[in-house]
Amino acid sequence: MKELEVVPENHIGPFRLGDQINDVIHYIRNNSHSFSNVALRYNQKDPLSMGICLDLKRQGIELRFNSWCQRLEVIKVYDLSLITLIYAGNKFSSPGSGKATFLSIHSNNAFGPTKKGSYTQEGTKYKLVYPGIIFVFKVLEQFRFDQTYLDRDSPENDWLELETIYVCEMDGALTMRQEPSEVLSVDVHPSRGLIFPSLVDLTFDHHPQDVLTVLGHPDYVSYKTDDPLVIHSNKYMNEYQYDYFYNYFDLGIDILFSAVTHRIKKFVLHTNFPTNEKFNVYRKCNYQIIPALSDYDESSEEESLFRPITPEMKWIEILEIFNSDPIDEFISPPENSPFGGTSYYAFKDIIFEVMGNGYINTVTLFNNTSD
């Protein structure tokens, strides 16, 4: 993958702004012959404080994802010596033809009109902003001036070498927006079930046929074979006598059915933080948990009453919302996981799996009246 097409505010090569991180990682894995050296960077202690970055070292490209909605937000080309870039059918940066310069980018109007550029505070870089694409040039020491705009016809501008390219949204924002995803959201009502944007709900009374009608076929069907009470009750049991999951990886949802009644027993919602070993197995489930009124802490400040619980909340925030302490808790040992163990906190109809950094890994809804 030596030649990549560049389209401002859209894509570089196969990577498009708005792509889900799961889709991008799957693409990279399926094309590992081209992407043999990839690094994943994120903030392990506070994964929402900064973006998630995939560094394609062989291509000299960084893919920066918003850690809140997990969508591709900025594409940065930081090593122009590794790839050839094409815009509107013409090569504008190629390792074999020398480095692109200010004149080659700006003078031929290939990217259309733009406003005046600007120096960085130190004067070592010069930034030229077009709608959906930003060019950063290295200013050699002998050509560092005080003015904030370069004369496009000045011959010395050809010594301003293109160093970095950013493909971003039209407004040119390179900092992460700290806001929830605008994709599918799910309202969660403990003891009842899930309500989707179409106002279609799935409750603990529903059967597989109901789930198929609402969500379509699952990505996978797995069986709950790790229940020792079931396993030892009959060593000749087959898979159809185990409770079974419908796994919806693209929705970040698992649904457990009873092998006896074939009704829903549990919903499992995944946050897909990079700080757990199942990262990228599921997409992030953008849930809003709405506890029953009796679960809220009535002593809380008025503005905090009736707040929904979202994947962006830490465990300490969730505890402030509830009116009682968990009725049970369990700590899962690390078992050689690089992320350490997790803790489980159970209320009467909901279980939170909490990671070491205080964020939620999974939420499990269950029905106390089910078998």
Side-chain angles (χ1 to χ4, degrees):
M1 188 174 291
K2 292 296 185 180
E3 294 188 356
L4 298 177
E5 181 189 37
V6 177
V7 177
E9 203 191 10
N10 194 294
H11 71 270
I12 292 183
F15 307 113
R16 294 182 179 273
L17 299 181
D19 281 349
Q20 283 274 354
I21 190 170
N22 306 69
D23 297 332
V24 174
I25 291 177
H26 287 316
Y27 177 86
I28 290 172
R29 286 176 173 170
N30 291 335
N31 295 272
S32 57
H33 58 283
S34 297
F35 304 99
S36 56
N37 190 357
V38 180
L40 175 67
R41 297 198 300 271
Y42 55 89
N43 188 322
Q44 184 167 347
K45 291 184 177 180
D46 191 356
L48 292 180
S49 65
M50 60 180 288
I52 303 170
C53 177
L54 283 174
D55 188 351
L56 314 180
K57 296 181 179 295
R58 190 172 171 183
Q59 286 75 27
I61 295 176
E62 282 184 358
L63 305 176
R64 298 180 178 180
F65 296 84
N66 186 307
S67 58
W68 287 58
C69 62
Q70 300 191 346
R71 290 188 177 275
L72 184 56
E73 200 167 53
V74 176
I75 305 172
K76 176 185 177 182
V77 183
Y78 63 85
D79 192 341
L80 294 164
S81 68
L82 298 177
I83 53 174
T84 296
L85 298 176
I86 301 172
Y87 175 70
N90 299 313
K91 296 179 182 180
F92 69 91
S93 177
S94 176
S97 59
K99 292 186 176 180
T101 63
F102 176 84
L103 287 180
S104 66
I105 296 295
H106 190 29
S107 294
N108 58 16
N109 283 324
F111 290 89
T114 185
K115 61 183 180 180
K116 295 181 179 181
S118 61
Y119 286 103
T120 59
Q121 187 174 0
E122 301 80 10
T124 58
K125 312 288 183 186
Y126 183 80
K127 184 169 70 172
L128 193 62
V129 180
Y130 290 89
I133 190 167
I134 298 174
F135 297 96
V136 179
F137 301 87
K138 179 180 180 181
V139 182
L140 300 181
E141 187 173 359
Q142 61 267 38
F143 298 115
R144 295 175 188 170
F145 352 89
D146 294 330
Q147 69 262 34
T148 59
Y149 181 63
L150 298 177
D151 180 359
R152 63 187 292 177
D153 298 320
S154 179
E156 65 264 25
N157 293 347
D158 209 34
W159 292 94
L160 296 175
E161 296 179 344
L162 181 60
E163 187 175 62
T164 309
I165 299 173
Y166 298 90
V167 171
C168 53
E169 294 186 0
M170 187 69 76
D171 59 7
L174 298 179
T175 56
M176 184 184 71
R177 294 173 172 81
Q178 294 192 354
E179 55 190 21
S181 170
E182 296 179 356
V183 298
L184 175 70
S185 61
V186 181
D187 286 345
V188 178
H189 295 265
S191 295
R192 177 183 172 188
L194 311 181
I195 300 179
F196 294 89
S198 58
L199 299 181
V200 177
D201 63 349
L202 288 176
T203 70
F204 292 101
D205 293 327
H206 282 144
H207 295 83
Q209 295 89 335
D210 303 304
V211 175
L212 292 173
T213 300
V214 175
L215 301 180
H217 287 280
D219 299 303
Y220 192 74
V221 177
S222 55
Y223 293 88
K224 192 174 184 295
T225 59
D226 57 350
D227 187 341
L229 295 179
V230 174
I231 292 174
H232 295 296
S233 63
N234 188 342
K235 64 180 179 180
Y236 299 108
M237 289 181 69
N238 59 50
E239 63 182 19
Y240 299 106
Q241 294 169 285
Y242 292 112
D243 292 346
Y244 53 97
F245 283 101
Y246 276 11
N247 307 114
Y248 290 92
F249 301 127
D250 285 345
L251 298 178
I253 297 173
D254 295 324
I255 300 176
L256 178 67
F257 295 93
S258 166
V260 177
T261 65
H262 297 286
R263 295 181 185 272
I264 295 175
K265 291 182 67 174
K266 293 180 181 179
F267 297 94
V268 183
L269 315 177
H270 299 263
T271 60
N272 196 42
F273 280 110
T275 51
N276 79 91
E277 57 189 10
K278 288 188 177 180
F279 171 65
N280 202 55
V281 174
Y282 297 85
R283 285 188 180 181
K284 175 184 178 180
C285 179
N286 190 35
Y287 58 75
Q288 290 191 100
I289 302 173
I290 304 171
L293 293 180
S294 60
D295 291 333
Y296 282 104
D297 183 359
E298 298 177 357
S299 66
S300 301
E301 296 293 334
E302 183 176 351
E303 60 268 20
S304 69
L305 285 175
F306 315 126
R307 280 190 302 160
I309 297 169
T310 66
E312 294 76 31
M313 285 185 176
K314 301 186 79 169
W315 173 238
I316 190 171
E317 298 176 78
I318 295 173
L319 274 178
E320 292 175 354
I321 293 177
F322 278 91
N323 190 29
S324 60
D325 293 329
I327 59 177
D328 197 8
E329 62 181 83
F330 170 76
I331 299 177
S332 175
E335 295 182 354
N336 299 322
S337 170
F339 304 103
T342 57
S343 301
Y344 293 83
Y345 299 93
F347 292 91
K348 63 180 181 181
D349 45 24
I350 189 169
I351 299 173
F352 294 93
E353 181 190 4
V354 183
M355 298 179 288
N357 57 19
Y359 283 97
I360 305 302
N361 187 31
T362 63
V363 176
T364 301
L365 310 177
F366 60 94
N367 187 357
N368 279 319
T369 63
S370 61
D371 65 302

